[in-house]
Amino acid sequence: MSFKHARDALVLCHDNGVIGDEEFCLLYDANRSKNPEFPYEEYGKFDLEDMEDDECKAEFRFHKEDIPELAEVLGLPETFTYSQGSMTNGIEGLSIMLKRFSYPCRYSDLIPRFGHAVPVMSMICNTVVDFVYNLHGQRISEYNHNLLDSASLQITKTPYADAVFAKGASLDNCFGFVDGTVRPICRPGEIQRAVYDGHKRVHGLKFQSVALPNGLIVNLFGHVEGRKHDASMLDESGLLNELERPAFSPTGQAMCIYGDPAYPHRVHLQRPFQYRVLTHQMQSFSESMSKVRSSVEWIFGDIINYFKFLDFKKDLKLDLSPTGKMYIVCALLRNALTCLYGNTTSEFFQLDPPSLEDYFA
């Protein structure tokens, strides 16, 4: 017997007095169709106020009271209007995007929560992703002068270099760390050789990230083909050229970021020694910097741990989904989480990130 036939039979039994009101409600609810084609209007409209705080944290990664604040600093409009006539408010659109990225799921799984058809929710999610990327993408994909001005690099209220040095680093002028990461994607067709990373042995897209000791990703370059070397990606990003002018302390000392041996050695970019025979001082230098450099890998892990949809490579298909754009938006959301709640990196260096309002100001 189908769900529809079961519900029809229950209505008939209730009308004839065979079952009572309570039994009818329980059995009717148990025989709801699991098919996404079932009328979605039955679930009602989404209202954030109807959710508990624990539900919001589990489904959206943010506490209930912080979601309206996030929508405000992101500049989301009160209403999104779509080409086929559908309308949603900004908080609902943000919630759909957060729910979609928080864990691998199908849009049909979101119907009981939001009460929209699958095509509508796909349109909503893509619209919000485009809006956030177009309005705020430059905060992370371009050189952020608000976070990397010369005063912030050493001796003011956000002493990045001092925090790194205080954790045992040999360099007293290192304010951040650079590294590349590969995000696996679904195996593509004709261009699979271009996106194949022989080192990781996966098909993927590469990103280059600069992390600060306050737990923020301050610069994210990408995406590029998975086979591209980190040094080549660094050259394409133009990061070193951006650092040449402002990366000096107020006293004139050249400030630097620190990377792994794949990167070249420059005034503003330091790396471990690569001589065949290392002195004790060289070994001590590399070991001390390696301990603090691992913080950038913690942040990479945070992005995926909080937005696990990015780790479901079967749904990350080139030309069918904006994979690179989604990663950048999730990195921005990870920064927002850091501003609100901190993370492992900010706790390790004991350096508080800026407030959510200051970061998106």
Side-chain angles (χ1 to χ4, degrees):
M1 179 183 294
S2 68
F3 286 115
K4 183 179 185 304
H5 291 153
R7 292 193 302 272
D8 291 342
L10 288 170
V11 171
L12 184 61
C13 290
H14 182 264
D15 290 343
N16 292 329
V18 178
I19 58 176
D21 294 343
E22 185 176 349
E23 293 173 303
F24 171 77
C25 292
L26 291 173
L27 292 172
Y28 193 90
D29 187 67
N31 284 277
R32 287 179 183 272
S33 174
K34 307 302 186 294
N35 191 328
E37 297 301 323
F38 188 73
Y40 48 85
E41 296 91 346
E42 176 178 311
Y43 293 101
K45 294 184 178 181
F46 170 77
D47 188 352
L48 183 65
E49 294 302 319
D50 294 337
M51 296 183 66
E52 298 293 333
D53 183 63
D54 291 343
E55 290 180 302
C56 290
K57 194 69 168 64
E59 296 186 22
F60 306 145
R61 304 307 189 196
F62 290 84
H63 287 293
K64 178 179 177 179
E65 62 182 8
D66 295 324
I67 292 179
E69 181 183 3
L70 178 63
E72 182 178 353
V73 298
L74 289 175
L76 298 181
E78 291 187 6
T79 303
F80 283 105
T81 304
Y82 308 99
S83 57
Q84 94 292 15
S86 297
M87 298 177 63
T88 58
N89 61 60
I91 290 180
E92 182 179 13
L94 175 62
S95 300
I96 290 175
M97 181 185 70
L98 293 174
K99 174 71 172 176
R100 172 67 166 169
F101 289 154
S102 65
Y103 200 79
C105 61
R106 300 166 297 181
Y107 283 115
S108 58
D109 299 328
L110 276 58
I111 291 177
R113 172 61 71 191
F114 297 102
H116 292 293
V118 168
V120 174
M121 282 192 288
S122 175
M123 191 180 305
I124 292 171
C125 185
N126 290 333
T127 299
V128 178
V129 168
D130 288 341
F131 182 92
V132 174
Y133 177 83
N134 293 333
L135 189 60
H136 300 285
Q138 79 283 353
R139 297 183 187 276
I140 200 169
S141 60
E142 299 178 5
Y143 192 88
N144 193 322
H145 291 276
N146 292 331
L147 291 174
L148 294 177
D149 62 292
S150 60
S152 295
L153 297 183
Q154 190 176 33
I155 62 171
T156 61
K157 61 181 179 180
T158 52
Y160 307 137
D162 292 345
V164 174
F165 185 67
K167 277 298 178 180
S170 297
L171 293 172
D172 64 355
N173 64 333
C174 175
F175 67 87
F177 308 94
V178 62
D179 199 4
T181 185
V182 178
R183 293 311 318 146
I185 61 173
C186 183
R187 182 172 179 173
E190 297 179 357
I191 61 171
Q192 61 176 314
R193 293 186 63 184
V195 297
Y196 183 74
D197 182 355
H199 177 62
K200 300 290 186 179
R201 296 185 178 182
V202 295
H203 294 86
L205 303 176
K206 293 192 75 170
F207 296 86
Q208 173 187 279
S209 175
V210 177
L212 296 178
N214 62 4
L216 292 181
I217 298 173
V218 71
N219 184 263
L220 184 66
F221 173 75
H223 59 279
V224 299
E225 311 93 274
R227 68 177 181 181
K228 195 172 289 292
H229 192 272
D230 284 355
S232 178
M233 188 163 54
L234 176 72
D235 182 62
E236 285 188 20
S237 70
L239 177 62
L240 290 182
N241 293 333
E242 291 283 357
L243 289 173
E244 286 180 355
R245 182 174 59 84
F248 291 90
S249 72
T251 60
Q253 181 184 17
M255 309 300 289
C256 71
I257 54 179
Y258 189 83
D260 60 32
Y263 292 102
H265 184 266
R266 298 290 185 270
V267 173
H268 297 293
L269 175 60
Q270 299 295 310
R271 67 177 188 182
F273 288 102
Q274 289 185 290
Y275 302 118
R276 181 169 298 179
V277 179
L278 299 179
T279 65
H280 176 71
Q281 289 82 358
M282 291 178 178
Q283 291 178 343
S284 298
F285 171 86
S286 298
E287 290 174 2
S288 69
M289 296 306 299
S290 177
K291 291 179 180 178
V292 292
R293 195 192 72 85
S294 59
S295 60
V296 68
E297 298 174 358
W298 300 343
I299 296 177
F300 283 150
D302 281 345
I303 297 175
I304 303 303
N305 288 335
Y306 278 82
F307 303 104
K308 291 185 180 294
F309 182 82
L310 298 176
D311 207 26
F312 187 59
K313 68 178 184 179
K314 290 185 178 180
D315 213 10
L316 302 178
K317 303 175 182 179
L318 291 180
D319 299 329
L320 294 179
S321 60
T323 306
K325 185 183 296 184
M326 289 191 299
Y327 187 83
I328 292 174
V329 169
C330 286
L332 274 168
L333 294 172
R334 175 60 255 185
N335 276 356
L337 284 166
T338 300
C339 291
L340 287 169
Y341 317 122
N343 62 14
T344 306
T345 301
S346 63
E347 293 174 1
F348 175 77
F349 288 105
Q350 299 179 347
L351 191 62
D352 293 332
S355 67
L356 193 64
E357 294 81 0
D358 288 343
Y359 179 71
F360 286 100

